[in-house]
Amino acid sequence: EPVEVFNLGTGQGNSVLEVIQTFEESTGVSLPYKIVGRRAGDVIAVYADTTKATEILGWSTKRDLASSLSSAWAWEKRIRGL
């Protein structure tokens, strides 16, 4: 049976540091991290093209990074009873 693969997201890239900082700002939770040099094999950037999801499914994001992270954290807290 054929399988279709769709990239879902905003189509806008975010750095790891942007995700960490946005998570901290949107949830009030501080994350411990260190800024270190690039590891062997690390890629410079990775992007997903969301065109297929838009064209075939009519799907597009309704939330930005901050609201997505805040929602994911609220779900995680509910599931884990935090």
Side-chain angles (χ1 to χ4, degrees), residues 5-74:
V5 176
F6 296 89
N7 288 316
L8 303 179
T10 64
Q12 303 294 317
N14 297 99
S15 71
V16 173
L17 186 56
E18 287 172 324
V19 174
I20 290 170
Q21 291 172 336
T22 303
F23 177 85
E24 290 181 334
E25 291 167 5
S26 64
T27 65
V29 175
S30 294
L31 298 174
Y33 64 91
K34 293 180 187 176
I35 297 179
V36 298
R38 211 178 274 280
R39 298 168 299 180
D42 280 352
V43 295
I44 294 173
V46 178
Y47 298 91
D49 183 350
T50 60
T51 304
K52 181 179 175 183
T54 302
E55 291 177 353
I56 294 175
L57 303 176
W59 189 92
S60 64
T61 56
K62 302 217 180 339
R63 296 180 180 207
D64 61 10
L65 180 61
S67 63
S68 294
L69 292 171
S70 178
S71 174
W73 180 242

